[in-house]
Amino acid sequence: MEADTEDEDSEEEGGPEREGPETYRSKNGEILWSSIPPPQTQGRARAEEIRRNSPGPSRCACVRAEYIKSTFELFFPSSMQKMLLEMTNLEGQRVFGDEWCNVDWDEIQAFIGLLILAGVLKSHHESASSLWDSEMGIFCTTMPLKKFKRLTRILRFDDKRSRAARREKDKLAPIREMWERWVERLPLMYRPEINITVDESLVGFRGRCPFKQYMPKKTAKYGIKIWAACDAKTSYCFNMQVYTGKPPGMPHERNLGKRIVLEMSNDLQGHIVTCDNFFTSYTLGSDVLMKKIKIDRNDP
């Protein structure tokens, strides 16, 4: 009798048995989620946690970036310069005919320099005439206003004669080749830190554009949307894509966010990619298991 009493007391002291973790089934019924994460084990670093190269400027950038001009040419090499010069002169001949005198790269550099200077001076809303108003100013001493306006009118990145056919399949046809050449050079100059962010950016623009976006929560509200992958520490952007909307004659793309993250992180290894809930999904998590990266969700 005493033994039975002791057993009963011990059961009362122990209380009710603990319940197991709660489980939740996904909408399609194929995934079972648990309220308790799996145990974390300590051990050797996995292959996806090992980065092969140290972060920072690449060897190519360190050797060739001696001054401002050489640094600019790292991102805009001679092949791109030649293409811009050829297409601009071709458009000048088409528009002005025999009156057009071909420009050289020095004149294009001067034109680009004036555009950069106008941006530095925050003169993007100021008329060109006012910038050339002062006789001693750097604008009028660099090139005549008439020539600047001509270059503004005929500056081109592609052959306009074949653009219509290319534009039927690609809305970014006027700058596609130049854009892709430029983006290809971004990761060659800098190796990002371990933390990467993938998100959208709206470049303010209110002119005519077939893929202009309206995003009321953004400061600019109207503009061109660009998907970007950036180094979270230095903000260096090493991959970009212009969002041109639904392709002509094609249905709306499904799993757009998943595709963007996978393409943005295609060449990464041992990095942690952070993105918001627009990009994250179970299928994205399954796919990155095959890649040597990690995905982290950042809820706004």
Side-chain angles (χ1 to χ4, degrees), residues 18-34:
R18 294 182 179 180
E19 297 181 358
E22 296 183 8
T23 57
Y24 307 91
R25 190 169 294 278
S26 63
K27 292 182 179 180
N28 59 11
E30 298 178 358
I31 307 169
L32 191 65
W33 300 94
S34 174

Side-chain angles (χ1 to χ4, degrees), residues 114 117 121 130-144:
L114 292 178
L117 179 60
L121 298 177
S130 64
L131 294 175
W132 265 260
D133 184 49
S134 175
E135 295 182 358
M136 300 301 294
I138 191 173
F139 290 91
C140 62
T141 56
T142 302
M143 72 169 54

Side-chain angles (χ1 to χ4, degrees), residues 180-225:
E180 291 186 348
R181 287 190 184 187
W182 179 68
V183 171
E184 286 175 358
R185 301 195 64 80
L186 297 180
L188 301 179
M189 304 306 158
Y190 188 86
R191 294 184 292 269
E193 298 280 348
I194 187 171
N195 292 303
I196 305 299
T197 58
V198 174
D199 206 349
E200 63 185 17
S201 175
L202 187 71
V203 179
F205 181 71
R206 288 181 174 268
R208 292 184 299 174
C209 181
F211 47 87
K212 182 172 62 179
Q213 301 287 311
Y214 171 65
M215 303 178 70
K217 294 184 179 181
K218 298 291 185 180
T219 304
K221 291 184 172 55
Y222 290 92
I224 298 173
K225 183 160 70 173

Side-chain angles (χ1 to χ4, degrees), residues 105-299:
W105 180 242
D106 289 338
E107 293 175 289
I108 296 294
Q109 283 187 108
F111 175 79
I112 295 174
L114 292 178
L115 293 178
I116 295 174
L117 179 60
V120 172
L121 298 177
K122 298 182 179 180
S123 304
H124 55 286
H125 288 306
E126 190 173 355
S127 65
S129 300
S130 64
L131 294 175
W132 265 260
D133 184 49
S134 175
E135 295 182 358
M136 300 301 294
I138 191 173
F139 290 91
C140 62
T141 56
T142 302
M143 72 169 54
L145 176 59
K146 181 179 180 181
K147 191 172 191 68
F148 180 84
K149 289 184 175 181
R150 276 197 168 191
L151 287 175
T152 302
R153 179 180 178 184
I154 57 89
L155 191 73
R156 291 294 182 273
F157 304 95
D158 74 322
D159 188 349
K160 193 173 182 179
R161 296 172 298 181
S162 62
R163 181 186 299 173
R166 290 181 283 110
R167 208 166 193 170
E168 291 181 359
K169 298 181 179 179
D170 183 11
K171 296 179 182 179
L172 200 64
I175 63 168
R176 171 64 70 183
E177 186 175 355
M178 183 70 75
W179 169 266
E180 291 186 348
R181 287 190 184 187
W182 179 68
V183 171
E184 286 175 358
R185 301 195 64 80
L186 297 180
L188 301 179
M189 304 306 158
Y190 188 86
R191 294 184 292 269
E193 298 280 348
I194 187 171
N195 292 303
I196 305 299
T197 58
V198 174
D199 206 349
E200 63 185 17
S201 175
L202 187 71
V203 179
F205 181 71
R206 288 181 174 268
R208 292 184 299 174
C209 181
F211 47 87
K212 182 172 62 179
Q213 301 287 311
Y214 171 65
M215 303 178 70
K217 294 184 179 181
K218 298 291 185 180
T219 304
K221 291 184 172 55
Y222 290 92
I224 298 173
K225 183 160 70 173
I226 296 178
W227 309 113
C230 301
D231 184 336
K233 183 177 181 180
T234 63
S235 300
Y236 181 87
C237 182
F238 61 90
N239 202 347
M240 304 174 72
Q241 285 186 15
V242 177
Y243 178 64
T244 57
K246 183 175 71 69
M250 300 293 291
H252 287 281
E253 181 178 1
R254 301 183 62 183
N255 298 321
L256 173 62
K258 169 187 168 182
R259 177 182 66 80
I260 294 299
V261 173
L262 292 177
E263 292 181 356
M264 291 284 103
S265 58
N266 187 44
D267 296 326
L268 298 179
Q269 179 175 342
H271 294 80
I272 300 174
V273 179
T274 301
C275 48
D276 60 25
N277 56 2
F278 172 80
F279 301 93
T280 53
S281 63
Y282 176 79
T283 56
L284 173 62
S286 299
D287 288 346
V288 297
L289 290 177
M290 307 298 295
K291 300 168 63 68
K292 297 179 181 180
I293 61 173
K294 293 181 179 179
I295 295 294
D296 186 20
R297 173 175 170 176
N298 179 29
D299 291 324

Side-chain angles (χ1 to χ4, degrees), residues 32-129:
L32 191 65
W33 300 94
S34 174
S35 60
I36 299 178
Q40 301 293 326
T41 58
Q42 297 292 334
R44 297 179 60 184
R46 295 176 294 179
E48 60 267 25
E49 297 174 344
I50 301 175
R51 289 181 295 164
R52 305 301 178 187
N53 298 310
S54 59
S58 65
R59 184 178 180 85
C60 173
C62 292
V63 171
R64 300 184 182 182
E66 298 178 353
Y67 45 91
I68 295 177
K69 184 174 181 292
S70 62
T71 304
F72 175 81
E73 291 173 350
L74 287 176
F75 298 91
F76 210 87
S78 58
S79 60
M80 296 173 65
Q81 297 173 15
K82 181 180 178 181
M83 180 179 179
L84 174 59
L85 193 61
E86 181 181 351
M87 295 300 106
T88 298
N89 282 321
L90 189 65
E91 180 68 8
Q93 295 166 9
R94 189 189 69 83
V95 174
F96 298 104
D98 296 336
E99 297 181 2
W100 175 253
C101 181
N102 285 347
V103 297
D104 56 23
W105 180 242
D106 289 338
E107 293 175 289
I108 296 294
Q109 283 187 108
F111 175 79
I112 295 174
L114 292 178
L115 293 178
I116 295 174
L117 179 60
V120 172
L121 298 177
K122 298 182 179 180
S123 304
H124 55 286
H125 288 306
E126 190 173 355
S127 65
S129 300

